[in-house]
Amino acid sequence: MKTNGIGTRVLDFSKRFLEHRYLPAILAIGVILVMLPALKTGLMADDLVQRAVELRPDQLPARLRDTGMPPDSGNLGTVLRDLFPGLGGDPRSIALAKNYGLLPWWTPDDMKLGLWRPLTAFTHWLDYRLFPDSPALMHAHNIAWFAAIVFLVTVMYRKLMGLGWAAGLAAFLFLLDGYTYVPVMFVANRGFVLSLFFGLLCFYEHYQWRSAKSRSALVLSALFLALSLFANEGGASTFAFILAYALMLEPGSFLRRALTVLPSVLIIVLWRTIYKLGGFGLSHVGLYIDPGTEPLAFAQVAIPRAMALLGGQITGVAPDLLFAIKPSLHPLVIALYSASVLAALVVFLPWVRRDKTAAFWLAVALLAAIPAATVAPLSKNLGFVAVGVYGLMASFIAALVTRPSRLPERLTYRIPAWIACGLLMMMHIPVAIAGRVLTAEAIASGSRDMRSFINLDKSPDVENKNVIVVNAPCAITLAYMPFYKAYYHQPLPRTLRTLVPGCTSFDVQRTDEQTLVIRSRASDIFTCDDVGPAHIAYIFSACNVAVGVPKSKKGDRHDFDGLTVEVLEANAADVATRVAFRFDTSLDSPDFHWLRFDWRMFSYRPFKIPAIGQSVTLSGPRRMANVEGKKLLDE
């Protein structure tokens, strides 16, 4: 009896807390508290690339201009145009980046890297005008926006679900969501945070327009949708709320409901037109598919990616897991995510059929996953999906607890329903809390490890050296090296060359005084060895092809300052298997600093150039079954 009394009091307290009139403000303050560890993260990766665009040229090393960065950095117009991802969409910038080695030689010449997020860029510009040397305040800026999101999402849940504890539970689950820590603590990811904030404002005003027939709310809704899109392309997921409302909650005929989405459609079409006319967008980037320019390619991956995103949000198992899984196992993992989604639908659907608001949240989750699928499944892009999933989840749990008579009474439904309820609560409260704590620790440790991994050349005369990495396991991470060095006031190398990816074994032969010929022992130079079901090498391999895998034929040449790359052999798929690298000077020149990646030690080591006619073998990654492999996975 005593235990039951304590349990009852705990439940009563939880219910009163979730129904508290000031819950939106309480949860917003809670955001600040749980995000405090992010203040110590500092700047890393894309943050440092953006920093180079934000500062004036006289505040940066002169050599950084050789990497393809905008020559008029620090200018507001430049920041608004070129901040994402830092190179802009100018082909000359891509050419300079390849010539310096910021991008590897295999980057397609026609690759486009130009995202237009002027609203987000402006907020970063303000950061560097107000507190340029305070990363903590930049993180605080992100946290403030996310606190506003949690406040707004709590208000929105209450608008649609009433003032009961179900709406409070949905907001509380959203606050604890394990996938929000990384995007909020990552300064460069502010765009998605802003797009979610303005997307929620858009829907709030849309709701006011439809429920109170307020014309001013219609205008504000259109304005906030435009701001969401100008913050990040992911703002297109805002349309999921508008369309879901028309389908599930809007009364009247089909035509009347269709007309309510027309203003949003016009805003999106206008934004997309301006975006394309400005020359912005991505092409030949492996992780992204633009459905506007590649509709068939997107159609092929949309459902598998959406299932991974939805399954990851429901189960709490991050969809990013796919990157670390052996590619041949991807269909199996996608099937498991899909099974979790279908199992959840089986449990939820009896309630969804009886409750229009639950149907609305389900529609939001499903529709928001489609724009999110334009990018390879990443948990950092799940914000819009999470709003729908937690609304549906809390609505179902509340129905099961307080209105069980509206659900099927048969045990074949009730037992799985209660099991699902317990699993969902466990995964999204205690496990989510533990995940947040562990994520904060992992990010802090990973940030230190990444600096060490990228800062591979610490020689005092590196400014006069051409750094050449024979086999970089993750060539794209080396692109950050000049920006790390600039941030820590270290000299930059003259050039930074990556010869081949390093996820398989290679034979490296010196054919003459100035030439190295590298042959893959696998099917091509981009192949990743089979190193078991899960391995960090698979993540690296995915990053290496993120900038595209060019079609190559025998005799194809790529000319750079001081280096000519020639494809000597290609396989049936037109992917290089044997490549020659001819330098303008002797390979033994003191101007060169040669490095190789040692998988056993998981670090870069000096590479000794073989004698003419001799060759050496560079081994690929090791399986996880051995001790070194286990250490590698831990790292």
Side-chain angles (χ1 to χ4, degrees):
M1 293 295 294
K2 183 177 180 181
T3 302
N4 290 338
I6 294 174
T8 300
R9 288 196 295 273
V10 170
L11 290 175
D12 287 343
F13 172 80
S14 300
K15 185 177 178 180
R16 289 196 302 273
F17 170 74
L18 295 175
E19 294 176 347
H20 198 285
R21 62 182 298 187
Y22 296 122
L23 185 67
I26 293 170
L27 295 185
I29 294 171
V31 165
I32 297 173
L33 296 177
V34 300
M35 289 302 304
L36 284 177
L39 296 178
K40 301 185 294 183
T41 305
L43 301 181
M44 59 187 229
D46 288 356
D47 297 339
L48 298 180
V49 180
Q50 292 183 359
R51 175 180 176 272
V53 182
E54 295 281 2
L55 299 181
R56 300 188 311 272
D58 61 347
Q59 296 174 292
L60 297 167
R63 184 156 286 163
L64 205 58
R65 301 175 197 172
D66 298 336
T67 66
M69 301 304 297
D72 53 348
S73 60
N75 179 279
L76 177 59
T78 300
V79 171
L80 297 181
R81 184 185 65 247
D82 294 331
L83 189 62
F84 300 96
L87 293 175
D90 188 347
R92 292 173 296 179
S93 297
I94 300 296
L96 284 172
K98 290 177 65 176
N99 189 64
Y100 180 84
L102 198 69
L103 295 175
W105 62 266
W106 59 81
T107 304
D109 291 332
D110 55 353
M111 184 180 74
K112 181 186 290 186
L113 283 172
L115 300 173
W116 191 46
R117 301 167 180 174
L119 176 60
T120 303
F122 180 70
T123 69
H124 288 297
W125 184 82
L126 286 178
D127 284 356
Y128 280 91
R129 305 286 83 73
L130 299 175
F131 33 83
D133 300 317
S134 179
L137 288 178
M138 297 180 189
H139 288 294
H141 190 169
N142 274 24
I143 293 171
W145 283 109
F146 189 61
I149 286 173
V150 171
F151 181 93
L152 188 57
V153 82
T154 308
V155 171
M156 193 180 74
Y157 280 137
R158 287 184 162 186
K159 280 279 186 184
L160 291 168
M161 301 169 69
L163 297 177
W165 62 268
L169 176 61
F172 185 62
L173 292 174
F174 183 84
L175 166 63
L176 295 181
D177 185 27
Y179 299 146
T180 55
Y181 181 81
V182 173
V184 176
M185 59 73 60
F186 195 18
V187 175
N189 199 64
R190 183 179 300 162
F192 193 79
V193 178
L194 286 173
S195 71
L196 179 55
F197 172 75
F198 286 108
L200 292 172
L201 274 181
C202 166
F203 177 64
Y204 178 86
E205 293 298 339
H206 180 84
Y207 176 81
Q208 294 295 102
W209 171 43
R210 301 312 306 149
S211 60
K213 307 306 178 185
S214 169
R215 292 185 179 181
S216 61
L218 169 60
V219 174
L220 288 173
S221 176
L223 171 63
F224 291 137
L225 175 56
L227 291 176
S228 180
L229 293 165
F230 287 142
N232 185 283
E233 297 77 12
S237 290
T238 301
F239 188 64
F241 291 99
I242 308 300
L243 183 56
Y245 190 89
L247 292 173
M248 302 301 172
L249 298 178
E250 183 73 40
S253 66
F254 175 81
L255 178 60
R256 178 180 176 179
R257 286 182 288 157
L259 289 175
T260 66
V261 306
L262 184 59
S264 298
V265 171
L266 294 176
I267 292 294
I268 292 173
V269 170
L270 180 61
W271 163 78
R272 173 73 180 185
T273 301
I274 297 172
Y275 197 90
K276 297 305 290 185
L277 289 176
F280 298 99
L282 297 172
S283 63
H284 301 289
V285 180
L287 297 179
Y288 299 82
I289 297 179
D290 184 345
T293 56
E294 300 177 275
L296 294 179
F298 179 69
Q300 292 176 344
V301 302
I303 292 179
R305 286 182 175 185
M307 287 296 102
L309 291 166
L310 290 165
Q313 186 64 62
I314 291 170
T315 64
V317 180
D320 314 61
L321 173 70
L322 275 169
F323 288 97
I325 298 296
K326 182 180 176 181
S328 63
L329 295 179
H330 284 191
L332 174 61
V333 178
I334 293 292
L336 292 175
Y337 277 124
S338 302
S340 69
V341 174
L342 293 175
L345 287 177
V346 168
V347 173
F348 293 151
L349 279 179
W351 175 241
V352 168
R353 286 197 294 264
R354 292 166 172 81
D355 187 88
K356 288 185 176 181
T357 303
F360 165 77
W361 294 124
L362 174 60
V364 167
L366 296 176
L367 293 171
I370 297 173
T374 58
V375 187
L378 294 170
S379 56
K380 74 181 185 71
N381 294 330
L382 277 168
F384 287 92
V385 174
V387 174
V389 167
Y390 288 131
L392 173 62
M393 195 182 298
S395 176
F396 162 75
I397 292 172
L400 190 63
V401 173
T402 62
R403 289 184 282 180
S405 61
R406 296 191 62 188
L407 292 168
E409 296 183 1
R410 61 184 186 275
L411 290 179
T412 53
Y413 174 79
R414 287 295 175 93
I415 292 176
W418 278 106
I419 291 174
C421 179
L423 288 174
L424 291 172
M425 293 293 284
M426 181 181 69
M427 291 301 298
H428 293 282
I429 296 182
V431 174
I433 292 172
R436 269 187 167 272
V437 174
L438 294 174
T439 298
E441 293 294 325
I443 291 296
S445 175
S447 178
R448 293 189 296 269
D449 292 344
M450 187 173 183
R451 286 198 297 268
S452 176
F453 186 69
I454 291 173
N455 194 19
L456 65 166
D457 189 324
K458 300 178 182 179
S459 56
D461 61 340
V462 67
E463 195 167 17
N464 300 314
K465 298 281 189 180
N466 295 292
V467 176
I468 304 169
V469 182
V470 179
N471 60 331
C474 188
I476 198 169
T477 60
L478 294 185
Y480 295 118
M481 185 183 114
F483 304 100
Y484 270 88
K485 285 188 172 293
Y487 185 60
Y488 292 104
H489 307 289
Q490 298 173 2
L492 277 64
R494 185 183 301 162
T495 60
L496 175 63
R497 307 285 189 203
T498 298
L499 301 190
V500 291
C503 292
T504 187
S505 298
F506 292 93
D507 293 325
V508 183
Q509 181 184 25
R510 183 176 185 176
T511 57
D512 59 40
E513 186 71 16
Q514 300 168 230
T515 307
L516 280 183
V517 173
I518 301 181
R519 180 181 65 85
S520 172
R521 289 197 164 190
S523 60
D524 58 71
I525 64 173
F526 298 101
T527 291
C528 182
D529 289 343
D530 182 350
V531 281
H535 201 287
I536 195 172
Y538 299 133
I539 301 177
F540 289 164
S541 180
C543 291
N544 284 331
V545 300
V547 293
V549 177
K551 296 293 184 181
S552 300
K553 296 185 180 298
K554 181 178 180 180
D556 286 353
R557 294 166 60 96
H558 305 267
D559 295 315
F560 307 100
D561 291 345
L563 170 66
T564 296
V565 181
E566 182 179 356
V567 176
L568 300 181
E569 293 178 14
N571 60 18
D574 291 334
V575 181
T577 60
R578 184 166 165 261
V579 186
F581 300 87
R582 182 171 182 82
F583 293 83
D584 287 357
T585 58
S586 171
L587 304 181
D588 300 311
S589 169
D591 291 341
F592 294 141
H593 185 186
W594 293 89
L595 297 168
R596 65 180 176 87
F597 189 77
D598 187 334
W599 278 97
R600 183 186 296 273
M601 303 302 295
F602 199 67
S603 63
Y604 289 99
R605 291 287 187 264
F607 175 70
K608 184 178 180 180
I609 294 294
I612 295 174
Q614 299 297 308
S615 65
V616 296
T617 298
L618 299 180
S619 299
R622 303 165 66 84
R623 278 184 171 267
M624 305 310 300
N626 53 48
V627 175
E628 294 89 350
K630 185 177 186 302
K631 178 182 177 183
L632 173 59
L633 182 60
D634 292 339
E635 293 179 3

